[in-house]
Amino acid sequence: DKDEEGRNDIGGSSIVVFGPHRCEPTCEVLIFGKLRQPDAAGTQQLLHNDKIQPKECDAIVLFGPAPSVRDDDPNNCWTVSMPKRESEKIPSGDASVSSGQRSWAPISVDDLSAEVSSIADVRRCHSCVAKALQSDNYDKAIEILTDLLDGLEATRKRRFNEFDADALVYATKRNIAAINLVRKQYPPASKVLGEISRSHPGDLSSQALLGLAQVAAENLEEASTTFLEILVALDKAENDFDPDFGDLQLAKGAILNNLACCFIKRGEFSRAKTVYERALDCLLGCADAAKKSALTLGNLAKCLVQTKEYDLALDTLGSSVDSLQSCSNGYGYAVDWHYLTGIMKARALVAASVKQYMLALDTYEEMLNQLDYKNKEQYDLIFEVYGNMAQIATEIGKHTP
């Protein structure tokens, strides 16, 4: 039955896995789907892409001293804004970057091969890392941080230092892992994060990043184990846990969502459904979890389609859309249009596949209201929506006397 096959394939255009840090957008991992050409019966089917792709990020959070003292953060982290368009990219070649009135030159391997003598050395290195990232030169950023790590390892062997070399070794490893995640180098990211997790067993934030890297590398058994270990630690932690997660219930909800994503990738839909519902029990009571709740509802809807609970899936997708719109309007920030339109498209596709054509058309109409006709990045999606609406109108015409 082609309609049955179509419904089973539709399920939701994305599965979202949450990152641990409240400011770390690079760690949201999506599974994108795409529409196949309609078959002879006009059925639209959503192909599930088994490759997990990281969300395109506009900033990356790194740890340790900022390139400039004035940019230091109480949480010991700093942010590099990533260029969105080719015209915004800083030309590569000169890896120097200005910090206030001071301009740092690139650091050579020889500069750091022996030891790092001061925080100024670290800031100078981080300044070059920022410039490399803004030029899309991830390899250079990793090279600079690897040199810094070697220098810090040599420095901490000294008996007396003017700074905490151990803390900077940790921060540098974390930064190397974060950049590797952004550039889709999951095995080296997993290796570094595994080292951090072993040396800092209470560092749940890095352990959660390790789980993300394992999911992205398709090591689902290892990722499931990692997320389960975090849940055990959170159950024991009560009020004493990694502050990067924020609220304890929010942390549990996010990790339960991630665990369910492992199950859904393994085809264990009933098990995933149960864990998603547990995640929502945690998230729906958190004031700052509106977006995570909405995206988890979208994930749950995919399970409901796979278990053939289509009406409940449509209701769940509708709740997800409402939640995303409410958190965009009421929480002071805009939800990424990829998320909102992805959930809307999934709802329209499920509705069309079960012949609820008016609901599908209404959803597509609402979707068009969310899209920007001046944004070239959205042109293909706009054309796709109009094409799908035309096909649905044709189907309605066939059944209208």
Side-chain angles (χ1 to χ4, degrees):
D1 185 285
K2 290 182 178 178
D3 282 344
E4 184 73 22
E5 180 186 352
R7 286 193 290 269
N8 286 337
D9 278 348
I10 288 170
S13 58
S14 65
I15 299 173
V16 183
V17 185
F18 301 127
H21 196 280
R22 58 183 175 276
C23 302
E24 207 157 16
T26 60
C27 298
E28 291 180 344
V29 182
L30 304 183
I31 303 172
F32 291 103
K34 60 181 179 180
L35 275 175
R36 188 188 307 164
Q37 289 297 315
D39 58 23
T43 304
Q44 289 285 354
Q45 298 179 340
L46 189 72
L47 287 179
H48 177 68
N49 182 357
D50 286 334
K51 296 297 181 183
I52 299 179
Q53 302 293 338
K55 176 182 178 294
E56 191 69 28
C57 62
D58 54 16
I60 179 171
V61 175
L62 300 176
F63 289 81
S68 171
V69 175
R70 67 184 182 186
D71 295 327
D72 276 344
D73 182 273
N75 295 315
N76 197 34
C77 60
W78 48 287
T79 303
V80 179
S81 297
M82 309 297 284
K84 296 180 181 178
R85 299 183 299 271
E86 289 294 326
S87 59
E88 294 180 354
K89 293 180 181 178
I90 299 174
S92 58
D94 176 12
S96 63
V97 64
S98 294
S99 181
Q101 299 299 315
R102 203 168 180 182
S103 181
W104 297 117
I107 288 181
S108 68
V109 175
D110 292 339
D111 287 327
L112 294 172
S113 58
E115 60 184 38
V116 178
S117 60
S118 67
I119 290 293
D121 285 339
V122 180
R123 292 190 191 280
R124 185 157 58 104
C125 181
H126 284 175
S127 182
C128 295
V129 168
K131 184 62 177 285
L133 290 173
Q134 290 172 332
S135 303
D136 277 353
N137 194 342
Y138 296 119
D139 289 339
K140 184 64 177 178
I142 292 290
E143 178 187 337
I144 295 169
L145 287 171
T146 302
D147 292 342
L148 175 61
L149 182 61
D150 291 341
L152 289 169
E153 293 281 12
T155 299
R156 71 175 177 174
K157 293 177 183 177
R158 298 191 317 186
R159 187 172 181 180
F160 300 105
N161 297 300
E162 67 169 71
F163 52 81
D164 187 346
D166 287 336
L168 288 174
V169 166
Y170 160 82
T172 303
K173 287 184 176 180
R174 175 73 177 257
N175 293 344
I176 290 172
I179 294 171
N180 273 323
L181 280 174
V182 173
R183 66 177 192 158
K184 308 177 188 179
Q185 298 297 312
Y186 304 120
S190 296
K191 180 180 179 181
V192 173
L193 290 166
E195 292 174 1
I196 294 175
S197 297
R198 288 188 291 273
S199 60
H200 297 74
D203 182 3
L204 301 184
S205 181
S206 292
Q207 198 170 3
L209 276 180
L210 173 61
L212 291 179
Q214 290 167 335
V215 171
E218 301 291 326
N219 296 325
L220 300 177
E221 290 286 351
E222 294 178 10
S224 299
T225 299
T226 298
F227 292 136
L228 283 169
E229 289 173 352
I230 296 172
L231 288 170
V232 170
L234 289 173
D235 285 338
K236 293 179 179 178
E238 295 299 332
N239 295 321
D240 181 22
F241 69 101
D242 192 328
D244 276 351
F245 280 94
D247 182 88
L248 180 61
Q249 288 301 108
L250 177 61
K252 288 182 178 179
I255 297 302
L256 282 166
N257 171 83
N258 294 357
L259 178 61
C261 288
C262 293
F263 293 148
I264 201 172
K265 283 288 292 174
R266 287 156 52 177
E268 301 177 37
F269 300 112
S270 295
R271 193 177 184 187
K273 175 184 170 184
T274 300
V275 178
Y276 279 133
E277 289 170 345
R278 286 181 57 198
L280 287 167
D281 287 341
C282 294
L283 293 173
L284 292 175
C286 300
D288 297 328
K291 180 180 175 182
K292 282 184 168 61
S293 298
L295 296 175
T296 301
L297 282 167
N299 291 344
L300 172 60
K302 183 171 182 64
C303 287
L304 294 171
V305 169
Q306 296 296 336
T307 55
K308 303 182 181 181
E309 299 171 77
Y310 304 118
D311 289 339
L312 186 54
L314 287 170
D315 290 342
T316 303
L317 287 166
S319 297
S320 178
V321 169
D322 292 342
S323 296
L324 282 173
Q325 290 176 324
S326 67
C327 75
S328 178
N329 296 330
Y331 287 81
Y333 60 87
V335 172
D336 190 317
W337 66 271
H338 291 94
Y339 290 139
L340 184 56
T341 57
I343 297 295
M344 286 181 169
K345 184 169 74 171
R347 189 175 190 229
L349 290 169
V350 175
S353 74
V354 294
K355 296 181 171 55
Q356 293 192 31
Y357 295 127
M358 295 311 299
L359 175 59
L361 287 175
D362 288 344
T363 304
Y364 279 133
E365 189 71 37
E366 187 180 2
M367 191 173 163
L368 289 171
N369 291 334
Q370 298 293 327
L371 294 171
D372 181 3
Y373 287 73
K374 297 180 181 179
N375 185 344
K376 292 182 179 180
E377 189 180 357
Q378 299 182 9
Y379 281 2
D380 288 345
L381 182 57
I382 291 170
F383 291 145
E384 177 187 327
V385 170
Y386 277 119
N388 290 350
M389 292 177 75
Q391 290 182 29
I392 291 172
T394 300
E395 287 298 312
I396 293 176
K398 292 179 181 177
H399 302 286
T400 301

